[in-house]
Amino acid sequence: MAQIPDTVRALMRPSAAELEPYDPAFTPVEVNLSANENSYGLPAEVRAAVNQALAEVPVNRYPDPLAGELRAEIAAYYGLAPENVICGNGGDELIYNIFLAFGGEGHMVLHCPPDFSVYELYASLAESPCESVWRDPATFAIDWEKLRARVANATVTIVTTPNNPTGTLADPAEVEALALATDGLVLVDEAYMEFADMRSCASLISHYPNILVLRTFSKAFALAGARLGYVLADPGVVSALAAVRQPYSVGVLSQTAALAAWRHRPQIQPTIDEIVQQRGELYTRLSELGDLGVTVWPSSANFLLVRLPHAHEVRCRLRDEHSVLVRDFSSAPGLTDCLRITVGTPKENKRLVDGIVSILREA
Ligand SMILES: *Cc1c(COP(=O)(O)O)cnc(C)c1O
């Protein structure tokens, strides 16, 4: 990617002029455990149903702006009305739209790092001031008391559960207490909730008009490439998000693929169970590497956060010598020497562990 020349930068809006293009640090590898995708993909019969639906959908017409069919089926599943649901071009677009609708000068965003990096990026694009309540540096637990003390000053407070990149869960009772303590919005990012043994905050939507729950088809539903996420919220909040969205941002192919996958939830569930099982095994394997300096945190998502000596170098050598890609957080604040590893198939996980062991033994 070309550099942004100063002459071009001078023309950019001030909130964008400091930015660089997002780099997911992707290189082609045999084992990609870097982006928290579902390594298993869709089961063959579900993929066939998706293919069939895609083959039949007309693409000469614009999509239904609000993805009516998908919206209605998602709403029914949660016992909500279609007016409680809004779909987006991935969860990312919805986070962006939340700041577009509820951000700007004087509309503070409060969040709990280390968490998902796009919050700060999108908040700054929307010119929202961003404030942090840091998680416990050892356990990554949220400091609820501190968060509650500041929540009333924020327009949007974000709780990520399970949290990316730490895998940490948040207690829904604490989310309720947070929502009660503010007139602002509380966004609960549940991108990985399908992998957790915890109730979703979706059940709170009917009781708390200021709680928003974000979900996505990118992780458990193995549709990261389709770009489809949704927010559950009070109808008034949904309308505000609908007001700022690009009318046709969710393509007809994405809507169709997501709807077909959604209707096959029972067939997808065994894959999710398998990933949870593999997460446990990978956690055990990595925990056994304490003598090599490896620390691993318990996770309720489809990835594990590990801390190990010379993490940046280990990550490069895993990529170059073992063709295994993981995400490098080693220089991120609060995550010194940390790597985030997506749970893969048993073969992929073995290759990862063997790679880490051989690199650390050599050192
Ligand atoms: C992956 C992810 C999302 C949404 O991803 P999309 O692919 O844009 O749907 C949202 N929040 C967190 C914390 C994530 O990790």
Side-chain angles (χ1 to χ4, degrees):
M1 176 97 44
Q3 293 287 312
I4 305 174
D6 290 344
T7 47
V8 173
R9 235 181 250 282
L11 301 173
M12 291 173 76
R13 52 186 293 155
S15 60
E18 312 263 280
L19 302 174
E20 297 296 336
Y22 178 72
D23 175 14
F26 179 75
T27 9
V29 283
E30 286 166 22
V31 177
N32 182 0
L33 303 177
S34 73
N36 298 344
E37 297 143 338
N38 181 330
S39 296
Y40 291 78
L42 289 170
E45 81 264 30
V46 181
R47 179 64 208 230
V50 168
N51 290 352
Q52 180 68 28
L54 289 174
E56 287 167 9
V57 71
V59 290
N60 60 317
R61 304 292 179 191
Y62 280 104
D64 175 352
L66 292 176
E69 227 180 332
L70 180 60
R71 187 189 196 205
E73 294 200 18
I74 290 171
Y77 172 79
Y78 290 104
L80 295 167
E83 292 71 26
N84 290 114
V85 182
I86 186 160
C87 295
N89 189 267
D92 280 11
E93 183 192 48
L94 291 160
I95 296 168
Y96 186 72
N97 287 349
I98 288 167
F99 296 147
L100 212 50
F102 300 105
E105 209 188 315
H107 295 233
M108 194 252 283
V109 173
L110 186 62
H111 71 123
C112 304
D115 59 6
F116 195 32
S117 61
V118 311
Y119 305 144
E120 289 202 2
L121 171 65
Y122 294 169
S124 76
L125 273 176
E127 290 157 28
S128 298
C130 208
E131 294 186 15
S132 300
V133 173
W134 283 85
R135 288 164 180 269
D136 182 284
T139 65
F140 299 117
I142 292 175
D143 186 338
W144 292 105
E145 211 171 304
K146 218 179 207 172
L147 193 58
R148 256 196 323 276
R150 289 168 68 180
V151 70
N153 298 324
T155 306
V156 181
T157 299
I158 307 174
V159 173
T160 316
T161 174
N163 185 44
N164 178 10
T166 64
T168 324
L169 276 178
D171 181 351
E174 295 285 9
V175 173
E176 278 186 79
L178 210 54
L180 283 172
T182 181
D183 295 326
L185 302 175
V186 177
L187 169 62
V188 189
D189 186 340
E190 295 189 350
Y192 300 95
M193 192 47 98
E194 290 89 350
F195 302 106
D197 186 11
M198 173 60 84
R199 72 186 163 94
S200 164
C201 286
S203 60
L204 302 177
I205 298 297
S206 323
H207 309 287
Y208 296 86
N210 60 340
I211 294 183
L212 293 75
V213 172
L214 177 75
R215 306 287 292 243
T216 179
F217 282 82
S218 294
K219 314 293 171 33
F221 279 85
L223 286 175
R227 312 303 303 126
L228 216 141
Y230 58 94
V231 159
L232 308 171
D234 179 75
V237 171
V238 165
S239 294
L241 294 176
V244 300
R245 71 186 293 272
Q246 298 178 43
Y248 299 118
S249 70
V250 186
V252 72
L253 297 175
S254 304
Q255 292 186 27
T256 302
L259 185 61
W262 182 257
R263 288 176 173 167
H264 288 83
R265 279 191 313 287
Q267 287 94 313
I268 295 174
Q269 188 58 44
T271 312
I272 298 173
D273 297 339
E274 171 67 14
I275 291 169
V276 169
Q277 163 88 16
Q278 286 304 318
R279 176 183 74 205
E281 303 209 353
L282 185 56
Y283 177 84
T284 305
R285 292 289 89 71
L286 293 167
S287 310
E288 288 162 358
L289 305 181
D291 55 328
L292 293 172
V294 178
T295 309
V296 55
W297 280 268
S299 167
S300 293
N302 66 339
F303 55 81
L304 293 167
L305 188 74
V306 300
R307 176 170 279 150
L308 39 75
H310 314 292
H312 176 73
E313 190 196 329
V314 171
R315 184 254 181 195
C316 293
R317 290 188 59 189
L318 277 172
R319 178 192 60 198
D320 301 337
E321 298 165 24
H322 300 269
S323 201
V324 175
L325 193 65
V326 300
R327 188 62 69 94
D328 189 359
F329 282 94
S330 60
S331 50
L335 296 171
T336 307
D337 268 338
C338 284
L339 303 176
R340 190 195 66 197
I341 300 168
T342 307
V343 176
T345 62
K347 240 171 107 183
E348 292 176 327
N349 299 338
K350 180 172 189 313
R351 188 148 152 189
L352 167 91
V353 174
D354 291 350
I356 290 177
V357 169
S358 85
I359 294 166
L360 289 181
R361 281 249 165 85
E362 239 176 76

